[in-house]
Amino acid sequence: MPQLVFATSNAHKTEEVAAILGEAWQVEDLRAHPGVLLDEETGDTFEANAIIKAVSGSRGTPGLLVLADDSGLEVDALGGAPGVRSARYAGETADAADNRAKLKTELAKLGQPTPFSGRFQCCMVLARDGKVLHITHGSVEGRLLTEEVGACGFGYDALFIPDGFTETFGVLPAETKNQLSHRARALAEMKDQLASLT
Ligand code: ITT
């Protein structure tokens, strides 16, 4: 089974990517490569930050294929925030609960009408030995609630209802999220490229 290093410290992302790729790939994240340090995410786009993670991750794992994901939530009524700052929305040391609380506060300030339109965005970058091999993008449109519903998923999932559904990603089964999410769509675009490298 070919090996794919997923350059993330977010175990939830790894679980989703491993489930989406299935048996075809042995996916391991930075827990299996504790000496690899990624460069700081200084970009102002998902793509720029995904390139930083993939390139720095691949320099630390010579010869291996390295995939990186930069993703986040955009809310139209907030001008696209939290966007690339999704992981740090409530501050540099914020956790997911802090970020959800900040989002709920910002949405409450806006008042009606609810729910608010938005989307999850994901950019995936494949690299090897410091060189970018392929870049893909995926998104999923939906609506934001002002109260959390459900305990599945991670990050902002309990506040987001994908279009075509009536439940949040916090309620929908992982199998459903993994068929239509921003991450699933970016990975679908990446699959041919991955297959050509095995
Ligand atoms: P790595 O940089 O180590 O990959 P991270 O969690 O910091 O992990 P990002 O910088 O890409 O990753 O930030 C993405 C944030 O956007 C993430 O922390 C969540 O808050 C949110 N997010 C991304 N995808 C999500 C999803 O599928 N469901 C819920 N929230 C998501």
Side-chain angles (χ1 to χ4, degrees):
M1 203 191 293
Q3 188 182 6
L4 182 63
V5 177
F6 187 36
T8 188
S9 304
N10 184 331
H12 299 285
K13 286 186 181 178
T14 310
E15 197 180 327
E16 291 186 1
V17 166
I20 293 164
L21 289 176
E23 300 289 295
W25 289 87
Q26 184 198 328
V27 179
E28 54 189 37
D29 64 21
L30 295 181
R31 289 171 294 183
H33 299 271
V36 175
L37 291 179
L38 302 184
D39 289 350
E40 200 184 336
E41 293 175 41
T42 52
D44 54 14
T45 62
F46 297 113
E47 183 170 310
N49 284 331
I51 289 173
I52 288 170
K53 289 187 253 192
V55 167
S56 57
S58 70
R59 286 202 181 109
T61 53
L64 298 180
L65 279 174
V66 175
L67 187 69
D69 160 319
D70 199 68
S71 46
L73 177 70
E74 294 176 344
V75 182
D76 294 325
L78 295 174
V84 291
R85 294 195 48 81
S86 290
R88 297 158 280 155
Y89 191 38
E92 292 301 320
T93 57
D95 64 16
D98 299 331
N99 290 330
R100 284 193 301 274
K102 160 99 172 160
L103 180 62
K104 287 191 285 184
T105 302
E106 295 302 316
L107 292 178
K109 281 188 208 162
L110 296 173
Q112 301 296 323
T114 59
F116 300 97
S117 62
R119 68 206 55 77
F120 277 118
Q121 296 270 19
C122 175
C123 177
M124 291 244 172
V125 173
L126 185 66
R128 186 164 48 197
D129 294 325
K131 291 195 187 66
V132 171
L133 302 177
H134 200 57
I135 299 176
T136 65
H137 297 265
S139 67
V140 56
E141 298 285 328
R143 291 155 287 151
L144 276 302
L145 302 181
T146 49
E147 288 304 326
E148 293 157 41
V149 184
C152 303
F154 70 99
Y156 300 94
D157 277 342
L159 293 169
F160 183 85
I161 300 178
D163 280 357
F165 292 81
T166 54
E167 314 252 50
T168 68
F169 274 154
V171 172
L172 292 168
E175 295 72 30
T176 304
K177 181 181 178 190
N178 288 340
Q179 279 167 12
L180 58 94
S181 77
H182 50 315
R183 188 159 293 109
R185 288 173 175 160
L187 213 41
E189 296 294 311
M190 187 62 82
K191 270 184 179 167
D192 285 350
Q193 187 70 21
L194 283 171
S196 74
L197 291 165
T198 57

